[in-house]
Amino acid sequence: MGREHLRVNRFGLAEYEDMVELSRGVDVSEPAGVLHAIVELVLPEESGLLDSLTDEAQADFVVPLGMCAKMLSSGEYSEMESVSAACTVSHCAAAHMSEFPDDLARMVSRLPR
């Protein structure tokens, strides 16, 4: 059975029915904290990590990560928006985990999916 799509939230991230229950059982600070650490590791130009990723990983993973960075910088997001962001980044990173540095792979693996 497919996932039931509910809406696209104000940050451009999809929300699904199964995320409703997940968002109720998650402390919003946990996925947001992990996402913040990933953003701080990957997106700053001086880290060099972004340039080390393949074009495919940049397209699949970095684009949604940038959307999450915008959400985090707003400082105002719901549990559902936090879970949606975490699940999106986790899902988009899945195909590229083997090429990620170990610390990035560990952080991504802590996100709900």
Side-chain angles (χ1 to χ4, degrees), residues 3 7-16 19-20 22-23 31 35 64 68 71 78-92 112-113:
R3 296 173 74 188
R7 71 188 144 270
V8 173
N9 66 32
R10 62 194 167 124
F11 299 106
L13 300 162
E15 295 179 359
Y16 294 89
M19 291 178 184
V20 173
L22 186 58
S23 69
L35 280 174
C68 294
M71 179 199 78
S78 68
E79 288 88 358
M80 182 64 149
E81 289 166 335
S82 177
V83 167
S84 174
C87 289
T88 299
V89 168
S90 177
H91 177 77
C92 292
R113 199 157 174 213

